[in-house]
Amino acid sequence: MQEKFSKLAILFLFMGIVYFFVWSSNYKKEIKEHPGQTICKFTLCKPGKSGTAYVKYYLDNKLYRKNVGGCPDSSGSKLHKYFVLKYSTIDPDKILVDFSKEVKDSVLIKELESKLEFKYWLDH
């Protein structure tokens, strides 16, 4: 009985890993086929084993605050800075942030900051 259970557990684990790779591939494929690009602000890195990074961005009159996975290397120096964000034009919740491409264009930064501040005051 326990042997059947362990085989079943291994089968489910294998299916989960395959599903994860297919999902990840489709996620990136959608962003590549329906590309959009903007900037985001790196706002938070929750500590932990791998950490969790959060960014804020503004699209189509809507403010987004999303988890983008693990914290980047030397996240302390990157906190509250702006980076290139690629998203799917079909589903703006599907994003990829490139923490190696910091945005320094003051016009883009001021535009995003004004939207983030304005949206914050409307929500509170």
Coordinates of all heavy atoms in Angstrom, one line a residue, residues 13-104:
L13 N 4.3 14.7 -8.4 CA 5.4 15.6 -8.3 C 5.9 15.9 -9.7 O 6.2 17.0 -10.1 CB 6.5 15.1 -7.4 CG 7.7 15.9 -7.3 CD1 7.4 17.3 -6.6 CD2 8.8 15.2 -6.5
F14 N 6.1 14.8 -10.5 CA 6.5 14.9 -11.9 C 5.6 15.7 -12.7 O 6.0 16.6 -13.5 CB 6.7 13.5 -12.5 CG 7.2 13.6 -13.9 CD1 8.5 13.9 -14.3 CD2 6.3 13.3 -14.9 CE1 8.9 14.0 -15.6 CE2 6.6 13.3 -16.3 CZ 7.9 13.7 -16.6
M15 N 4.3 15.5 -12.6 CA 3.3 16.2 -13.3 C 3.3 17.7 -12.9 O 3.1 18.6 -13.8 CB 1.9 15.6 -13.1 CG 1.7 14.3 -13.8 SD 0.2 13.4 -13.5 CE -1.1 14.6 -13.6
G16 N 3.5 18.0 -11.7 CA 3.6 19.4 -11.2 C 4.8 20.1 -11.8 O 4.7 21.3 -12.2
I17 N 5.9 19.4 -11.9 CA 7.1 20.1 -12.4 C 6.9 20.3 -13.9 O 7.2 21.4 -14.4 CB 8.3 19.2 -12.2 CG1 8.7 19.2 -10.7 CG2 9.5 19.6 -13.0 CD1 9.7 18.2 -10.3
V18 N 6.3 19.4 -14.6 CA 6.0 19.6 -16.1 C 5.0 20.7 -16.2 O 5.2 21.6 -17.1 CB 5.5 18.3 -16.7 CG1 4.9 18.5 -18.1 CG2 6.6 17.2 -16.7
Y19 N 4.0 20.8 -15.4 CA 3.0 21.9 -15.5 C 3.7 23.2 -15.3 O 3.4 24.2 -16.0 CB 1.9 21.6 -14.5 CG 0.9 22.8 -14.5 CD1 -0.1 23.0 -15.4 CD2 1.0 23.8 -13.5 CE1 -0.9 24.0 -15.4 CE2 0.1 24.8 -13.4 CZ -0.8 25.0 -14.4 OH -1.7 26.0 -14.4
F20 N 4.6 23.3 -14.3 CA 5.3 24.5 -14.0 C 6.1 25.0 -15.2 O 6.0 26.2 -15.6 CB 6.2 24.4 -12.8 CG 7.0 25.6 -12.5 CD1 6.4 26.7 -12.0 CD2 8.3 25.6 -12.8 CE1 7.2 27.9 -11.7 CE2 9.1 26.8 -12.6 CZ 8.5 27.9 -12.1
F21 N 6.8 24.1 -15.9 CA 7.6 24.5 -17.0 C 6.8 24.9 -18.2 O 7.1 25.9 -18.9 CB 8.6 23.4 -17.4 CG 9.8 23.3 -16.5 CD1 10.0 22.3 -15.6 CD2 10.7 24.3 -16.5 CE1 11.1 22.2 -14.8 CE2 11.8 24.3 -15.7 CZ 12.0 23.2 -14.8
V22 N 5.7 24.2 -18.4 CA 4.7 24.6 -19.5 C 4.1 26.0 -19.2 O 4.0 26.8 -20.1 CB 3.7 23.5 -19.7 CG1 2.6 24.0 -20.7 CG2 4.3 22.2 -20.3
W23 N 3.7 26.2 -18.0 CA 3.1 27.4 -17.6 C 4.1 28.6 -17.8 O 3.7 29.6 -18.3 CB 2.6 27.4 -16.1 CG 2.0 28.7 -15.6 CD1 0.8 29.2 -15.8 CD2 2.8 29.6 -14.9 NE1 0.7 30.4 -15.2 CE2 1.9 30.7 -14.6 CE3 4.1 29.7 -14.4 CZ2 2.3 31.8 -13.9 CZ3 4.5 30.8 -13.7 CH2 3.6 31.9 -13.4
S24 N 5.3 28.4 -17.3 CA 6.3 29.4 -17.4 C 6.6 29.7 -18.8 O 6.8 30.9 -19.2 CB 7.6 28.9 -16.7 OG 8.6 29.9 -16.8
S25 N 6.7 28.7 -19.7 CA 7.0 28.9 -21.1 C 5.8 29.7 -21.8 O 6.1 30.6 -22.5 CB 7.1 27.6 -21.8 OG 7.3 27.7 -23.2
N26 N 4.6 29.4 -21.5 CA 3.4 30.1 -22.0 C 3.4 31.5 -21.5 O 3.0 32.4 -22.3 CB 2.1 29.3 -21.7 CG 2.0 28.1 -22.5 OD1 2.6 27.9 -23.5 ND2 1.1 27.2 -22.0
Y27 N 3.7 31.7 -20.3 CA 3.7 33.1 -19.7 C 4.7 34.0 -20.5 O 4.3 35.1 -20.9 CB 4.2 32.9 -18.2 CG 4.0 34.1 -17.3 CD1 2.9 34.4 -16.6 CD2 5.1 35.0 -17.2 CE1 2.8 35.5 -15.8 CE2 5.0 36.1 -16.4 CZ 3.9 36.3 -15.7 OH 3.8 37.4 -14.8
K28 N 5.9 33.5 -20.6 CA 6.9 34.3 -21.3 C 6.6 34.4 -22.8 O 6.8 35.4 -23.4 CB 8.3 33.6 -21.2 CG 8.8 33.7 -19.8 CD 10.1 33.0 -19.6 CE 10.6 33.1 -18.1 NZ 11.8 32.3 -17.9
K29 N 6.0 33.4 -23.4 CA 5.6 33.4 -24.8 C 4.5 34.5 -25.1 O 4.6 35.2 -26.1 CB 5.1 32.0 -25.2 CG 4.7 31.9 -26.7 CD 4.2 30.5 -27.0 CE 3.8 30.4 -28.4 NZ 3.2 29.1 -28.7
E30 N 3.6 34.6 -24.2 CA 2.5 35.6 -24.3 C 3.1 37.0 -24.3 O 2.7 37.9 -25.0 CB 1.4 35.5 -23.3 CG 0.3 36.5 -23.4 CD -0.8 36.3 -22.4 OE1 -1.1 35.1 -22.1 OE2 -1.4 37.3 -22.0
I31 N 4.1 37.2 -23.3 CA 4.7 38.5 -23.2 C 5.5 38.8 -24.5 O 5.5 40.0 -25.0 CB 5.6 38.6 -22.0 CG1 4.7 38.5 -20.7 CG2 6.4 39.9 -22.0 CD1 5.4 38.4 -19.4
K32 N 6.1 37.8 -25.1 CA 6.9 38.0 -26.3 C 6.1 38.3 -27.5 O 6.4 39.1 -28.3 CB 7.8 36.8 -26.5 CG 8.9 36.9 -27.5 CD 9.7 35.7 -27.5 CE 11.1 36.0 -28.0 NZ 12.0 34.8 -28.0
E33 N 4.9 37.6 -27.6 CA 4.0 37.7 -28.8 C 3.1 39.0 -28.7 O 2.7 39.5 -29.7 CB 3.2 36.5 -28.9 CG 3.9 35.3 -29.3 CD 3.1 34.0 -29.4 OE1 1.9 34.1 -29.0 OE2 3.6 33.0 -29.9
H34 N 2.8 39.5 -27.5 CA 2.0 40.6 -27.3 C 2.7 41.6 -26.4 O 2.3 41.9 -25.3 CB 0.6 40.2 -26.7 CG -0.1 39.2 -27.5 ND1 -0.8 39.5 -28.6 CD2 -0.2 37.8 -27.3 CE1 -1.3 38.3 -29.1 NE2 -0.9 37.4 -28.3
P35 N 3.8 42.2 -26.9 CA 4.7 43.0 -26.0 C 4.2 44.4 -25.7 O 3.6 45.0 -26.5 CB 6.0 43.0 -26.8 CG 5.6 43.0 -28.2 CD 4.4 42.1 -28.3
G36 N 4.5 44.8 -24.5 CA 4.3 46.1 -24.1 C 5.4 46.5 -23.2 O 6.0 45.5 -22.6
Q37 N 5.8 47.7 -23.1 CA 6.9 48.1 -22.2 C 6.7 49.4 -21.6 O 6.1 50.3 -22.1 CB 8.2 48.2 -23.1 CG 9.4 48.4 -22.2 CD 10.7 48.3 -23.1 OE1 10.8 47.3 -23.8 NE2 11.6 49.2 -22.9
T38 N 7.0 49.4 -20.3 CA 6.9 50.7 -19.5 C 8.0 50.6 -18.4 O 8.9 49.8 -18.5 CB 5.5 50.8 -18.9 OG1 5.3 52.0 -18.3 CG2 5.2 49.6 -17.9
I39 N 7.8 51.5 -17.4 CA 8.8 51.4 -16.3 C 8.0 51.1 -15.0 O 6.8 51.3 -15.0 CB 9.6 52.7 -16.2 CG1 8.7 53.9 -15.8 CG2 10.3 53.0 -17.4 CD1 9.5 55.2 -15.4
C40 N 8.7 50.6 -14.1 CA 8.1 50.3 -12.8 C 9.1 50.8 -11.7 O 10.2 51.0 -11.9 CB 7.9 48.8 -12.6 SG 9.4 47.8 -12.6
K41 N 8.5 50.9 -10.5 CA 9.3 51.3 -9.3 C 9.4 50.1 -8.4 O 8.4 49.4 -8.0 CB 8.6 52.4 -8.5 CG 9.4 52.9 -7.3 CD 8.7 54.1 -6.7 CE 9.5 54.6 -5.5 NZ 8.8 55.8 -4.9
F42 N 10.7 49.7 -8.1 CA 10.9 48.6 -7.2 C 10.7 49.1 -5.7 O 11.4 50.0 -5.2 CB 12.4 48.2 -7.4 CG 12.8 47.0 -6.4 CD1 12.0 46.0 -6.1 CD2 14.1 47.0 -6.0 CE1 12.4 45.0 -5.3 CE2 14.6 46.0 -5.2 CZ 13.7 45.0 -4.8
T43 N 9.6 48.6 -5.1 CA 9.2 49.2 -3.8 C 9.5 48.4 -2.6 O 9.6 49.0 -1.5 CB 7.7 49.4 -3.9 OG1 7.0 48.2 -4.1 CG2 7.3 50.4 -4.9
L44 N 9.6 47.1 -2.7 CA 9.8 46.3 -1.5 C 10.5 45.0 -1.8 O 10.2 44.4 -2.8 CB 8.4 46.0 -0.9 CG 8.3 45.1 0.3 CD1 8.9 45.8 1.5 CD2 6.8 44.7 0.6
C45 N 11.3 44.6 -0.9 CA 11.9 43.3 -0.9 C 11.7 42.6 0.5 O 12.3 43.0 1.4 CB 13.4 43.4 -1.2 SG 14.2 41.8 -1.3
K46 N 10.8 41.7 0.5 CA 10.5 41.0 1.8 C 11.6 40.0 2.1 O 12.0 39.2 1.2 CB 9.2 40.2 1.7 CG 8.0 41.1 1.8 CD 6.8 40.2 2.0 CE 5.5 41.0 2.2 NZ 4.3 40.1 2.2
P47 N 12.2 40.1 3.3 CA 13.3 39.2 3.6 C 12.8 37.8 3.8 O 11.6 37.5 4.0 CB 13.9 39.8 4.9 CG 12.8 40.6 5.5 CD 11.9 41.0 4.3
G48 N 13.7 36.9 3.6 CA 13.4 35.5 3.8 C 14.5 34.7 3.1 O 15.5 35.2 2.7
K49 N 14.2 33.4 2.9 CA 15.2 32.5 2.2 C 15.6 33.1 0.8 O 16.7 33.3 0.6 CB 14.6 31.1 2.0 CG 14.9 30.2 3.2 CD 14.5 28.8 2.9 CE 14.9 27.9 4.0 NZ 14.5 26.5 3.7
S50 N 14.6 33.3 0.0 CA 14.9 33.8 -1.3 C 14.3 35.3 -1.5 O 14.7 36.0 -2.4 CB 14.2 33.0 -2.4 OG 12.8 33.0 -2.3
G51 N 13.5 35.7 -0.6 CA 12.9 37.0 -0.6 C 11.9 37.1 -1.7 O 11.7 36.3 -2.5
T52 N 11.1 38.2 -1.6 CA 10.0 38.4 -2.5 C 10.0 39.9 -2.9 O 10.0 40.7 -2.0 CB 8.6 38.1 -1.9 OG1 8.6 36.7 -1.5 CG2 7.5 38.2 -3.0
A53 N 10.2 40.2 -4.2 CA 10.3 41.5 -4.7 C 8.9 42.0 -5.2 O 8.1 41.3 -5.8 CB 11.3 41.6 -5.8
Y54 N 8.6 43.3 -4.9 CA 7.3 43.9 -5.3 C 7.7 45.2 -6.1 O 8.6 45.9 -5.8 CB 6.5 44.3 -4.2 CG 5.8 43.1 -3.5 CD1 6.5 42.4 -2.5 CD2 4.6 42.6 -3.9 CE1 5.9 41.3 -1.8 CE2 4.0 41.5 -3.3 CZ 4.7 40.9 -2.3 OH 4.1 39.8 -1.7
V55 N 6.9 45.4 -7.2 CA 7.0 46.6 -8.0 C 5.7 47.3 -8.2 O 4.6 46.6 -8.0 CB 7.6 46.3 -9.4 CG1 9.0 45.8 -9.3 CG2 6.7 45.4 -10.2
K56 N 5.7 48.6 -8.5 CA 4.5 49.3 -8.8 C 4.6 49.8 -10.2 O 5.7 50.3 -10.6 CB 4.3 50.5 -7.8 CG 3.8 50.1 -6.5 CD 3.5 51.4 -5.7 CE 3.1 51.0 -4.3 NZ 2.9 52.2 -3.5
Y57 N 3.5 49.8 -11.0 CA 3.5 50.3 -12.3 C 2.1 50.8 -12.6 O 1.1 50.4 -11.9 CB 4.0 49.4 -13.3 CG 3.3 48.1 -13.5 CD1 2.4 47.8 -14.5 CD2 3.5 47.0 -12.6 CE1 1.8 46.6 -14.6 CE2 2.9 45.8 -12.7 CZ 2.0 45.6 -13.7 OH 1.4 44.4 -13.8
Y58 N 2.0 51.6 -13.6 CA 0.7 52.2 -14.0 C 0.4 52.0 -15.4 O 1.2 52.4 -16.3 CB 0.8 53.7 -13.7 CG -0.5 54.4 -13.7 CD1 -1.4 54.4 -12.6 CD2 -1.0 55.1 -14.8 CE1 -2.6 55.1 -12.6 CE2 -2.2 55.8 -14.8 CZ -3.0 55.8 -13.7 OH -4.2 56.5 -13.7
L59 N -0.7 51.3 -15.7 CA -1.1 51.1 -17.1 C -2.6 51.3 -17.3 O -3.4 50.8 -16.4 CB -0.8 49.6 -17.5 CG 0.6 49.3 -17.7 CD1 0.8 47.8 -18.0 CD2 1.2 50.0 -18.9
D60 N -3.0 51.8 -18.4 CA -4.5 51.9 -18.7 C -5.3 52.5 -17.5 O -6.3 51.9 -17.1 CB -5.0 50.6 -19.1 CG -4.3 50.0 -20.3 OD1 -3.9 50.8 -21.2 OD2 -4.1 48.8 -20.4
N61 N -4.8 53.6 -16.9 CA -5.5 54.2 -15.8 C -5.7 53.3 -14.6 O -6.7 53.4 -13.9 CB -6.9 54.8 -16.2 CG -6.7 55.9 -17.3 OD1 -5.8 56.7 -17.2 ND2 -7.5 55.9 -18.3
K62 N -4.8 52.4 -14.4 CA -4.9 51.5 -13.3 C -3.5 51.3 -12.7 O -2.5 51.1 -13.4 CB -5.4 50.1 -13.7 CG -5.7 49.1 -12.6 CD -6.3 47.8 -13.1 CE -6.5 46.9 -12.0 NZ -6.9 45.6 -12.4
L63 N -3.5 51.3 -11.3 CA -2.2 51.1 -10.6 C -2.1 49.7 -10.3 O -3.0 49.0 -9.8 CB -2.2 52.0 -9.3 CG -1.1 51.8 -8.4 CD1 0.2 52.3 -9.0 CD2 -1.3 52.6 -7.1
Y64 N -0.9 49.1 -10.5 CA -0.6 47.7 -10.2 C 0.5 47.6 -9.2 O 1.4 48.4 -9.2 CB -0.2 47.0 -11.5 CG -1.2 46.8 -12.5 CD1 -1.4 47.8 -13.5 CD2 -2.0 45.7 -12.6 CE1 -2.4 47.7 -14.5 CE2 -2.9 45.5 -13.6 CZ -3.1 46.5 -14.5 OH -4.1 46.4 -15.5
R65 N 0.4 46.7 -8.3 CA 1.4 46.4 -7.3 C 1.6 44.9 -7.4 O 0.6 44.2 -7.0 CB 1.1 46.8 -5.9 CG 2.2 46.5 -4.9 CD 1.9 47.1 -3.6 NE 3.0 47.0 -2.7 CZ 3.2 46.0 -1.8 NH1 2.2 45.1 -1.7 NH2 4.2 45.9 -1.0
K66 N 2.7 44.4 -7.9 CA 2.8 43.0 -8.2 C 4.1 42.4 -7.6 O 5.1 43.0 -7.5 CB 2.9 42.7 -9.7 CG 1.7 43.2 -10.5 CD 0.5 42.2 -10.4 CE 0.9 40.9 -10.9 NZ -0.1 39.9 -10.7
N67 N 3.9 41.1 -7.2 CA 5.1 40.3 -6.8 C 5.8 39.8 -8.1 O 5.1 39.3 -9.0 CB 4.5 39.1 -6.0 CG 5.6 38.1 -5.7 OD1 6.7 38.1 -6.3 ND2 5.2 37.1 -4.9
V68 N 7.1 40.0 -8.2 CA 7.8 39.7 -9.4 C 8.8 38.5 -9.1 O 9.7 38.3 -9.9 CB 8.5 40.9 -10.0 CG1 7.5 41.8 -10.6 CG2 9.4 41.6 -9.1
G69 N 8.6 37.8 -8.1 CA 9.5 36.7 -7.7 C 10.5 37.1 -6.7 O 10.3 37.9 -5.8
G70 N 11.7 36.5 -6.8 CA 12.7 36.7 -5.8 C 13.4 38.0 -5.9 O 13.3 38.7 -6.9
C71 N 14.0 38.5 -4.8 CA 14.7 39.8 -4.8 C 15.9 39.7 -5.7 O 16.6 38.7 -5.7 CB 15.1 40.1 -3.4 SG 13.7 40.4 -2.3
P72 N 16.2 40.8 -6.4 CA 17.4 40.8 -7.2 C 18.7 40.9 -6.4 O 18.6 41.2 -5.2 CB 17.2 42.1 -8.1 CG 16.4 42.9 -7.2 CD 15.5 42.0 -6.5
D73 N 19.8 40.6 -7.0 CA 21.1 40.7 -6.3 C 21.3 42.2 -5.9 O 20.9 43.1 -6.6 CB 22.2 40.3 -7.2 CG 22.2 38.8 -7.5 OD1 21.6 38.0 -6.7 OD2 22.7 38.4 -8.5
S74 N 21.9 42.4 -4.7 CA 22.1 43.7 -4.1 C 20.8 44.5 -4.2 O 20.8 45.7 -4.6 CB 23.3 44.4 -4.8 OG 23.0 44.7 -6.2
S75 N 19.7 43.9 -3.7 CA 18.4 44.6 -3.7 C 18.4 45.9 -2.9 O 17.6 46.8 -3.2 CB 17.3 43.6 -3.3 OG 17.5 43.2 -2.0
G76 N 19.2 46.0 -1.9 CA 19.2 47.1 -1.0 C 19.5 48.4 -1.8 O 19.0 49.5 -1.6
S77 N 20.5 48.3 -2.7 CA 20.9 49.4 -3.5 C 19.9 49.7 -4.7 O 19.9 50.8 -5.2 CB 22.3 49.2 -4.1 OG 22.3 48.1 -5.0
K78 N 19.1 48.8 -5.0 CA 18.1 48.9 -6.1 C 16.7 49.4 -5.6 O 15.9 49.7 -6.4 CB 18.0 47.6 -6.9 CG 19.3 47.3 -7.6 CD 19.1 46.0 -8.4 CE 20.4 45.7 -9.1 NZ 20.4 44.4 -9.8
L79 N 16.5 49.3 -4.3 CA 15.2 49.7 -3.7 C 14.8 51.1 -4.1 O 15.7 52.0 -4.0 CB 15.2 49.4 -2.2 CG 13.9 49.2 -1.5 CD1 13.2 48.0 -2.1 CD2 14.1 49.0 0.0
H80 N 13.6 51.3 -4.4 CA 13.0 52.7 -4.7 C 13.7 53.3 -6.0 O 13.7 54.5 -6.2 CB 13.1 53.6 -3.6 CG 12.5 53.1 -2.3 ND1 11.1 52.9 -2.3 CD2 12.9 52.7 -1.2 CE1 10.8 52.5 -1.1 NE2 11.9 52.3 -0.4
K81 N 14.1 52.4 -6.9 CA 14.6 52.8 -8.2 C 13.7 52.3 -9.3 O 12.8 51.5 -9.0 CB 16.1 52.4 -8.4 CG 17.0 53.1 -7.4 CD 18.4 52.8 -7.8 CE 19.3 53.6 -6.8 NZ 20.7 53.3 -7.0
Y82 N 13.9 52.7 -10.5 CA 13.0 52.4 -11.6 C 13.7 51.5 -12.6 O 14.9 51.7 -12.9 CB 12.6 53.8 -12.2 CG 12.0 54.7 -11.2 CD1 12.7 55.5 -10.5 CD2 10.6 54.6 -11.0 CE1 12.1 56.4 -9.5 CE2 10.0 55.5 -10.1 CZ 10.8 56.3 -9.3 OH 10.2 57.1 -8.4
F83 N 12.9 50.6 -13.1 CA 13.4 49.6 -14.0 C 12.5 49.3 -15.2 O 11.3 49.6 -15.1 CB 13.7 48.3 -13.3 CG 14.7 48.4 -12.2 CD1 14.3 48.7 -10.9 CD2 16.0 48.3 -12.4 CE1 15.2 48.9 -9.9 CE2 17.0 48.5 -11.4 CZ 16.6 48.8 -10.2
V84 N 13.0 48.7 -16.2 CA 12.2 48.4 -17.4 C 11.3 47.2 -17.1 O 11.7 46.2 -16.5 CB 13.2 48.0 -18.6 CG1 12.4 47.5 -19.8 CG2 14.0 49.2 -19.0
L85 N 10.1 47.4 -17.5 CA 9.1 46.3 -17.2 C 8.4 46.0 -18.6 O 8.0 46.8 -19.3 CB 8.0 46.8 -16.3 CG 6.8 45.9 -16.0 CD1 6.5 45.9 -14.5 CD2 5.6 46.3 -16.7
K86 N 8.5 44.7 -18.9 CA 7.8 44.2 -20.1 C 6.5 43.5 -19.6 O 6.5 42.8 -18.6 CB 8.7 43.2 -20.9 CG 9.9 43.9 -21.4 CD 10.8 42.9 -22.2 CE 12.0 43.7 -22.7 NZ 12.9 42.8 -23.5
Y87 N 5.4 43.7 -20.4 CA 4.2 43.1 -20.0 C 3.4 42.6 -21.2 O 3.7 43.0 -22.4 CB 3.3 44.1 -19.2 CG 2.9 45.3 -20.0 CD1 1.6 45.3 -20.7 CD2 3.7 46.4 -20.1 CE1 1.3 46.4 -21.4 CE2 3.3 47.5 -20.8 CZ 2.1 47.5 -21.5 OH 1.7 48.6 -22.2
S88 N 2.4 41.8 -21.0 CA 1.5 41.3 -22.1 C 0.4 42.3 -22.3 O -0.2 42.7 -21.3 CB 0.9 40.0 -21.7 OG -0.2 39.7 -22.5
T89 N 0.2 42.7 -23.5 CA -0.9 43.7 -23.8 C -2.2 43.0 -23.6 O -3.3 43.7 -23.5 CB -0.7 44.3 -25.2 OG1 -0.7 43.3 -26.1 CG2 0.5 45.2 -25.3
I90 N -2.3 41.7 -23.6 CA -3.6 41.0 -23.4 C -3.9 41.0 -21.9 O -5.0 41.2 -21.6 CB -3.5 39.6 -23.9 CG1 -3.3 39.6 -25.4 CG2 -4.7 38.7 -23.5 CD1 -3.0 38.2 -26.0
D91 N -2.9 40.7 -21.1 CA -3.1 40.7 -19.6 C -2.0 41.4 -19.0 O -0.9 40.9 -18.8 CB -3.1 39.2 -19.2 CG -3.4 39.0 -17.7 OD1 -3.6 40.1 -17.0 OD2 -3.4 37.9 -17.2
P92 N -2.2 42.7 -18.6 CA -1.1 43.5 -17.9 C -0.6 42.9 -16.6 O 0.3 43.4 -16.0 CB -1.7 44.9 -17.8 CG -2.9 44.9 -18.6 CD -3.4 43.5 -18.8
D93 N -1.3 41.9 -16.1 CA -0.8 41.3 -14.8 C 0.4 40.4 -15.1 O 1.1 40.0 -14.2 CB -1.9 40.5 -14.2 CG -2.9 41.3 -13.4 OD1 -2.4 42.3 -12.8 OD2 -4.1 41.1 -13.5
K94 N 0.6 40.0 -16.4 CA 1.7 39.2 -16.7 C 2.9 40.1 -17.1 O 2.9 40.7 -18.1 CB 1.4 38.3 -17.9 CG 0.3 37.2 -17.6 CD 0.0 36.3 -18.7 CE -1.1 35.3 -18.3 NZ -1.5 34.5 -19.4
I95 N 3.9 40.0 -16.2 CA 5.0 41.0 -16.3 C 6.4 40.3 -16.1 O 6.5 39.2 -15.5 CB 4.9 42.1 -15.3 CG1 5.0 41.6 -13.9 CG2 3.7 43.0 -15.6 CD1 5.1 42.7 -12.8
L96 N 7.4 40.9 -16.7 CA 8.8 40.5 -16.5 C 9.6 41.8 -16.2 O 9.5 42.8 -17.0 CB 9.4 39.8 -17.7 CG 8.8 38.5 -18.0 CD1 9.4 38.0 -19.3 CD2 9.1 37.5 -16.9
V97 N 10.3 41.9 -15.1 CA 11.1 43.1 -14.8 C 12.5 42.7 -15.0 O 13.0 41.7 -14.5 CB 10.8 43.5 -13.3 CG1 11.7 44.7 -13.0 CG2 9.4 43.8 -13.1
D98 N 13.2 43.6 -15.7 CA 14.7 43.5 -15.9 C 15.4 44.4 -14.9 O 15.5 45.6 -15.2 CB 15.0 43.8 -17.4 CG 16.4 43.5 -17.7 OD1 17.2 43.1 -16.8 OD2 16.7 43.6 -18.9
F99 N 15.9 43.8 -13.8 CA 16.5 44.6 -12.8 C 17.9 45.0 -13.2 O 18.6 45.7 -12.5 CB 16.6 43.8 -11.5 CG 15.2 43.8 -10.8 CD1 14.5 42.6 -10.7 CD2 14.7 44.9 -10.2 CE1 13.3 42.5 -10.1 CE2 13.5 44.9 -9.5 CZ 12.8 43.7 -9.5
S100 N 18.4 44.6 -14.4 CA 19.7 45.0 -14.9 C 19.6 46.3 -15.7 O 20.6 46.9 -16.0 CB 20.3 43.9 -15.7 OG 19.6 43.7 -16.9
K101 N 18.3 46.7 -16.0 CA 18.1 47.9 -16.8 C 17.4 49.0 -16.0 O 16.2 49.1 -16.0 CB 17.3 47.5 -18.1 CG 18.0 46.6 -19.0 CD 17.1 46.4 -20.3 CE 17.9 45.5 -21.2 NZ 17.0 45.2 -22.4
E102 N 18.2 49.7 -15.3 CA 17.7 50.8 -14.5 C 17.3 52.0 -15.4 O 18.1 52.3 -16.3 CB 18.7 51.3 -13.5 CG 18.1 52.3 -12.6 CD 19.1 52.8 -11.5 OE1 20.1 52.1 -11.3 OE2 18.8 53.8 -10.8
V103 N 16.2 52.6 -15.2 CA 15.7 53.7 -15.9 C 16.2 55.0 -15.2 O 15.9 55.2 -14.0 CB 14.2 53.7 -16.1 CG1 13.7 55.0 -16.8 CG2 13.7 52.5 -16.8
K104 N 16.8 55.9 -16.0 CA 17.3 57.2 -15.4 C 16.7 58.4 -16.0 O 17.1 59.5 -15.7 CB 18.9 57.2 -15.5 CG 19.5 56.0 -14.8 CD 20.8 56.4 -14.1 CE 21.3 55.2 -13.5 NZ 22.2 55.5 -12.4

